[in-house]
Amino acid sequence: MPALLKNPLHASLLLALFGVVAHAPASAQEDSPYLLGDWGGKRTALADRGVSFEFGHTSETARNRSGGQRELTRYTDQWKLGAVVDLDKTWGWTGSAFQLMFTHRGGDNLGADAGIGNNQLIQEVYGRGQTWHLTVFALSQDLFGGKANLRIGRLPVGEDFAGFSCDFMSLTFCGAPPGNIAGDYWVNWPTSQWAARIKLDTGADTYLKIGAYQLNPKYVDDAYAKRNGWKPDFPSGTTGALIPVEFGWTPKLGGRPGSYKIGGWYSNAGGADLFYDRTGQPRALTGGDALHRGSRYGGFLSFQQQLSGESGRDGASVFLNLTQADRNTSSTDRQIALGVTYKGVFQRPNDYVGLAFGATHAGPRAADHQRLFNRLHPQSAAPVKDGNEYVTELFYNWSPIASVSLRPNLQYIRHPGGTDANRDALILGLKTNIDF
């Protein structure tokens, strides 16, 4: 995969990484979750007093080997800088904590630059303005003796609802899935909005969550983010609220952890109809402004279960994510993703492999609009996206030390954008994670 290292920033980062690994003490290399260690014991001492830090870097380099319009390589990355303060330990404020997280994104989007036509990002860490963001600015407070928890502040929706890991590089298998198909108002990392959510423990291993998130188009406006994304501001132009609900079950089946979630969401801000204009006529016919729908909604299921090995350490785990959004306003209205990971490959505790398959469906209302538009305006015809974009990803995660992972991967995208008018694409990728 030498072509992936042609990016000078990525090459220099890897050289610096291996230099640190080569000169670090062997025990620190093997055991510490942080590349920079325990700061001479100061990190542990601060944590004992209630202050913990999170510094990390993720990079994603991808090369288009076939498909699209150009064969090229693109690099993108994200830095995260954050802290959590246990207010019980620091101030004696029982059951309270404050979290702060800034992120910075930079780099380029392979899918757009290579003309692949994909709906789901090939590099999940790309997007939202390639700039600084205030990702979390939140206070958490336990209530009723710990049976409930209130979280309030600036939050991404995916922090608390439909949450899912980002082990894979394709967005199809990363983060809260509703944000993958309804990202214009369901906001995942790195963007946040003012919000509140409450979690109720309904049993030993069950819970119920409900939240309210401010909806404002400026939060997902890249130009606005480049000027104000890092600020805890409250911009004008709020259009309504997003109300997500989730019920969860976190059992230990055979002594191995599982997570089962079912939920849904409702937005009173509404959105533009993809087919009709304000008079109820097809927009392709009249060219008029889109009909405004008064609400948007959807639902999700998320299942994860470890099947073998020692609990939380090694063995195989499987996942299944199903997400459906309303068809009137969603240009991608459905996503299905399933996969498996296996930890402890070659008896290396930090190494693991992953394989996943996903399908993201192009909404029929947008397809009907494009089909009618093409018939009426053949000189301006565009592909009709009326099917599924299928993505397969395979990766191997190699961790030379606990704080570092290098994750080469292959992606195959069939019918990018949900249409056979776009050529299938084969992507070579490398994802790296470093916890400092």
Side-chain angles (χ1 to χ4, degrees):
M1 205 172 289
L4 296 176
L5 302 182
K6 290 182 179 179
N7 183 287
L9 179 59
H10 203 198
S12 62
L13 175 64
L14 291 179
L15 288 173
L17 165 62
F18 285 116
V20 172
V21 171
H23 291 90
S27 60
Q29 289 182 11
E30 295 174 1
D31 301 328
S32 176
Y34 308 114
L35 185 65
L36 301 181
D38 197 30
W39 307 344
K42 292 181 180 178
R43 193 166 195 158
T44 296
L46 286 167
D48 291 341
R49 295 174 187 171
V51 182
S52 59
F53 297 94
E54 186 176 359
F55 306 131
H57 178 264
T58 298
S59 71
E60 295 175 348
T61 303
R63 180 167 184 81
N64 179 36
R65 293 296 298 174
S66 65
Q69 300 171 6
R70 289 170 291 280
E71 182 176 339
L72 45 77
T73 302
R74 288 293 181 262
Y75 169 92
T76 190
D77 68 1
Q78 175 179 273
W79 291 90
K80 60 179 180 180
L81 311 169
V84 176
V85 180
D86 184 329
L87 299 177
D88 192 354
K89 292 182 178 179
T90 57
W91 289 350
W93 189 349
T94 303
S96 296
F98 175 75
Q99 182 183 5
L100 178 68
M101 178 66 72
F102 287 97
T103 54
H104 181 274
R105 287 185 168 183
D108 300 297
N109 178 1
L110 175 69
D113 292 351
I116 294 172
N118 51 296
N119 281 332
Q120 297 296 290
L121 288 167
I122 294 166
Q123 302 146 286
E124 53 80 20
V125 82
Y126 178 86
R128 296 304 193 197
Q130 303 304 87
T131 186
W132 284 102
H133 287 273
L134 177 61
T135 300
V136 181
F137 181 84
L139 177 68
S140 173
Q141 175 65 60
D142 288 342
L143 304 169
F144 309 120
K147 294 186 180 297
N149 177 268
L150 174 66
R151 200 168 183 222
I152 188 167
R154 282 284 294 266
L155 294 165
V157 188
E159 275 275 295
D160 289 291
F161 294 89
F164 190 70
S165 66
C166 274
D167 292 336
F168 292 83
M169 199 166 89
S170 169
L171 187 64
T172 309
F173 316 112
C174 173
N180 298 347
I181 63 173
D184 56 330
Y185 68 107
W186 177 296
V187 178
N188 289 339
W189 268 57
T191 308
S192 64
Q193 66 272 74
W194 293 103
R197 77 99 177 97
I198 189 164
K199 177 183 177 183
L200 305 173
D201 291 335
T202 55
D205 54 9
T206 61
Y207 66 82
L208 178 66
K209 289 194 284 192
I210 186 169
Y213 292 76
Q214 176 197 19
L215 292 179
N216 189 314
K218 291 180 180 175
Y219 288 132
V220 293
D221 181 336
D222 289 356
Y224 179 84
K226 289 181 178 179
R227 299 189 305 270
N228 303 287
W230 60 274
K231 301 175 184 177
D233 61 341
F234 198 116
S236 60
T238 295
T239 56
L242 174 70
I243 311 295
V245 178
E246 177 180 301
F247 176 77
W249 178 41
T250 55
K252 289 250 182 172
L253 301 180
R256 301 183 181 100
S259 172
Y260 298 82
K261 305 171 185 176
I262 181 171
W265 71 89
Y266 174 84
S267 162
N268 64 5
D273 190 278
L274 297 172
F275 186 80
Y276 291 112
D277 70 7
R278 291 182 177 178
T279 68
Q281 299 298 311
R283 288 192 300 115
L285 180 64
T286 66
D289 293 335
L291 173 69
H292 181 77
R293 295 281 180 176
S295 63
R296 303 179 75 177
Y297 51 88
F300 60 87
L301 292 170
S302 179
F303 301 153
Q304 300 176 70
Q305 180 64 54
Q306 183 177 344
L307 298 179
S308 65
E310 186 177 346
S311 177
R313 292 179 59 85
D314 59 3
S317 298
V318 294
F319 71 84
L320 171 66
N321 293 324
L322 306 173
T323 311
Q324 177 73 55
D326 74 275
R327 295 182 171 184
N328 289 326
T329 66
S330 303
S331 57
T332 51
D333 68 335
R334 183 174 70 243
Q335 186 175 82
I336 301 171
L338 68 159
V340 59
T341 59
Y342 187 90
K343 293 187 176 181
V345 181
F346 306 128
Q347 297 183 332
R348 295 177 54 85
N350 296 322
D351 285 13
Y352 59 101
V353 295
L355 175 64
F357 307 91
T360 303
H361 187 252
R365 302 281 283 188
D368 288 345
H369 165 77
Q370 190 64 55
R371 196 175 287 111
L372 179 58
F373 182 90
N374 290 351
R375 191 161 65 245
L376 296 173
H377 308 89
Q379 72 281 2
S380 303
V384 175
K385 300 178 180 181
D386 59 354
N388 283 293
E389 171 182 285
Y390 298 100
V391 178
T392 301
E393 181 175 343
L394 172 68
F395 73 76
Y396 183 91
N397 183 87
W398 175 57
S399 291
I401 56 177
S403 58
V404 173
S405 68
L406 305 175
R407 200 171 299 162
N409 61 79
L410 289 172
Q411 294 181 47
Y412 186 76
I413 308 172
R414 180 165 174 77
H415 298 161
T419 173
D420 58 10
N422 294 326
R423 296 170 57 204
D424 296 351
L426 175 65
I427 310 296
L428 305 182
L430 177 62
K431 180 172 183 174
T432 71
N433 284 305
I434 307 172
D435 290 319
F436 295 99

